[in-house]
């Protein structure tokens, strides 16, 4: 059972920066796709960024492409997924949730991901 635990959420002002993390563990093989989603009461869950842990392929939603950077750090039995966010906007507020899937990579559709964390809160004030 793959286990995902997010951390690093905080309250920041618009224009500020924040780094959030997700610890991924419990796998026999590193999942083929890791991604970040976000959700707020006003919006349905939306994909933010994803990466293929075995190579260099990364992809982003258009709304964050020039402001967010997804990356990973691999250890013996864990992968830590990072999301560096700069020039934050109030509309970036929400619960940020990391997801993993053993299948193919390239989607930001939540139905394509099998494993989910609980989320970490990001609040951006104007």
């Amino acid at each position: 059972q793959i286990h995902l635990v997010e951390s690093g959420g905080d309250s920041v002002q618009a224009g500020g920066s924040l780094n959030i993390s997700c610890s991924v563990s419990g796998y026999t093989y590193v999942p083929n796709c890791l991604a970040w989603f976000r959700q707020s009461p006003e919006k349905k869950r939306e994909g933010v960024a994803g990466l293929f842990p075995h190579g260099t392929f990364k992809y982003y939603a258009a709304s964050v492409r020039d402001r967010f950077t997804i990356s990973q750090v691999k250890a013996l039995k864990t992968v830590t997924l990072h999301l560096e966010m700069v020039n934050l906007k109030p509309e970036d507020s929400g619960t940020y949730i990391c997801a993993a899937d053993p299948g193919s990579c390239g989607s930001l559709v939540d139905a394509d991901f099998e494993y989910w964390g609980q989320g970490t809160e990001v609040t951006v004030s104007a």
Side-chain angles (χ1 to χ4, degrees):
Q1 179 72 20
I2 295 175
H3 193 51
L4 303 102
V5 180
E6 302 90 340
S7 62
D10 204 348
S11 296
V12 298
Q13 290 193 327
S17 302
L18 193 63
N19 292 314
I20 58 176
S21 301
C22 173
S23 176
V24 185
S25 62
Y27 48 78
T28 301
Y29 302 101
V30 175
N32 278 337
C33 201
L34 299 173
W36 284 100
F37 287 75
R38 65 186 180 191
Q39 189 168 13
S40 66
E42 298 80 22
K43 302 178 187 177
K44 65 178 183 179
R45 187 160 54 189
E46 62 172 336
V48 174
L51 64 73
F52 176 63
H54 311 286
T56 61
F57 176 55
K58 300 178 183 179
Y59 55 103
Y60 299 89
S63 59
V64 307
R65 184 166 291 124
D66 296 328
R67 301 184 295 120
F68 290 11
T69 303
I70 189 171
S71 62
Q72 61 170 343
V73 176
K74 290 183 179 177
L76 184 59
K77 292 188 177 182
T78 63
V79 174
T80 302
L81 187 68
H82 297 281
L83 188 68
E84 179 184 1
M85 303 180 287
V86 301
N87 191 21
L88 282 161
K89 305 175 182 180
E91 52 263 41
D92 293 320
S93 297
T95 301
Y96 281 70
I97 309 162
C98 65
D101 196 82
S104 60
C105 201
S107 168
L108 287 176
V109 176
D110 55 4
D112 292 335
F113 288 82
E114 183 174 353
Y115 300 97
W116 294 86
Q118 294 298 308
T120 187
E121 293 293 325
V122 173
T123 303
V124 184
S125 57

